[in-house]
């Protein structure tokens, strides 16, 4: 089972890093699997710690994919890393073991401290739709355009029926990326 979270960490130079990642729980441990090359990977290897943020503000996911990284951060309690101010809850991790892989190493981490900040108010279909569109946007170059269009048509139903303002804004940021891609494709097709 994969949980989509926001991983926050810090470089040895003190630069904060925010990235959406899918994490897997392995017993008591959490496994983060960044593709190389990755600042998240470099930071966790160098600093030995990270934070996973459980966040229902899907603008953070869509924002990180569209160049919007300026999300308010708060210092973590027990590790040298920030956490998202908007997180519903967060978990601070210590790197325990690295399973090497040329493409995608596995960072096995031990939870040190967990805190709740806001209640989880239930599942929202538009939030799930934004996450799905984020995944599509990260694979625009690799997927057939018909698949992208048909998935967007389906996901739009959940947006129209169930989105709030945050979900609509996140959706628009991602759709702007899809529109740019469509324009580039039709230009290339015309040459
Ligand atoms: C929902 C979602 C899940 C993602 N999961 C991963 C992941 O597990 N591993 C990964 O390397 N990138 C994942 N990505 C893409 C990264 O967030 C993105 O490539 C980011 O720029 C990596 O930044 P970095 O240089 O800090 O590692 C995911 C993106 C989204 C939207």
């Amino acid at each position: 089972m994969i949980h989509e979270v926001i991983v926050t960490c810090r470089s040895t130079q003190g630069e904060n890093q925010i990235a959406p990642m899918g994490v897997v729980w392995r017993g008591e441990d959490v496994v983060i699997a960044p593709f190389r090359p990755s600042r998240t990977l470099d930071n966790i290897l160098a600093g030995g710690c990270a934070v996973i943020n459980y966040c229902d503000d899907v603008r953070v996911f869509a924002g990180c994919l569209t160049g919007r990284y300026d999300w308010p951060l708060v210092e973590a309690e027990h590790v040298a890393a920030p956490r998202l101010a908007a997180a519903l809850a967060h978990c601070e991790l210590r790197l325990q073991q690295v399973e090497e892989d040329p493409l995608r190493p596995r960072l096995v981490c031990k939870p040190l401290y967990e805190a709740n900040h806001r209640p989880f108010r239930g599942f929202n279909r538009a939030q799930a739709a934004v996450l799905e569109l984020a995944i599509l946007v990260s694979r625009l170059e690799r997927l057939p355009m018909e698949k992208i269009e048909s998935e967007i048509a389906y996901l739009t139903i959940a947006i129209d029926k169930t989105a709030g303002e945050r979900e609509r804004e996140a959706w628009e940021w991602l759709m702007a990326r899809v529109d740019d891609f469509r324009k580039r494709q039709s230009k290339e097709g015309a040459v």
Side-chain angles (χ1 to χ4, degrees):
M1 185 178 186
I2 298 175
H3 289 99
E4 309 300 349
V5 302
I6 302 291
V7 175
T8 45
C9 55
R10 183 171 292 146
S11 73
T12 45
Q13 288 80 38
E15 267 175 293
N16 293 328
Q17 178 71 12
I18 304 183
M21 297 256 157
V23 300
V24 174
W25 283 85
R26 196 190 280 171
E28 299 291 303
D29 296 336
V30 185
V31 182
I32 305 175
F35 285 99
R36 290 181 195 276
S38 155
R39 272 172 292 176
T40 303
L41 175 64
D42 297 345
N43 292 351
I44 300 176
L45 289 179
C49 63
V51 173
I52 54 175
N53 298 268
Y54 307 113
C55 181
D56 67 350
D57 186 345
V58 286
R59 292 177 306 174
V60 184
F61 290 84
C64 288
L65 276 193
T66 56
R68 297 167 171 92
Y69 297 104
D70 201 12
W71 300 101
L73 300 171
V74 177
E75 195 57 25
E77 299 285 333
H78 298 285
V79 295
R83 72 162 176 88
L84 270 184
L88 298 179
H90 82 279
C91 181
E92 302 180 11
L93 307 171
R94 172 83 52 221
L95 177 63
Q96 185 85 357
Q97 191 198 331
V98 180
E99 294 174 3
E100 283 299 347
D101 185 88
L103 205 66
R104 197 179 188 189
R106 264 54 181 184
L107 306 177
V108 184
C109 300
K110 191 135 293 305
L112 295 182
Y113 173 77
E114 214 164 8
N116 292 315
H117 309 291
R118 291 175 188 80
F120 170 60
R121 296 203 186 275
F123 297 104
N124 172 254
R125 291 172 57 202
Q127 289 169 356
V130 168
L131 283 191
E132 290 303 323
L133 183 58
I135 299 285
L136 286 175
V137 164
S138 71
R139 296 179 187 163
L140 283 176
E141 311 280 347
R142 280 174 282 154
L143 292 173
M145 205 57 210
E146 310 83 72
K147 181 177 167 64
I148 295 169
E149 299 289 5
S150 71
E151 300 236 343
I152 289 174
Y154 180 69
L155 296 172
T156 302
I157 301 169
I159 295 295
D160 289 346
K161 287 191 178 163
T162 72
E165 264 177 44
R166 299 186 310 188
E167 291 73 26
R168 270 182 217 292
E169 194 173 17
W171 181 263
E172 280 162 19
W173 293 344
L174 293 168
M175 282 306 294
R177 277 293 158 101
V178 176
D179 290 340
D180 285 349
F181 181 73
R182 282 186 187 124
K183 277 183 206 143
R184 263 188 287 135
Q185 287 247 306
S186 60
K187 251 192 218 158
E188 279 164 23
V191 175

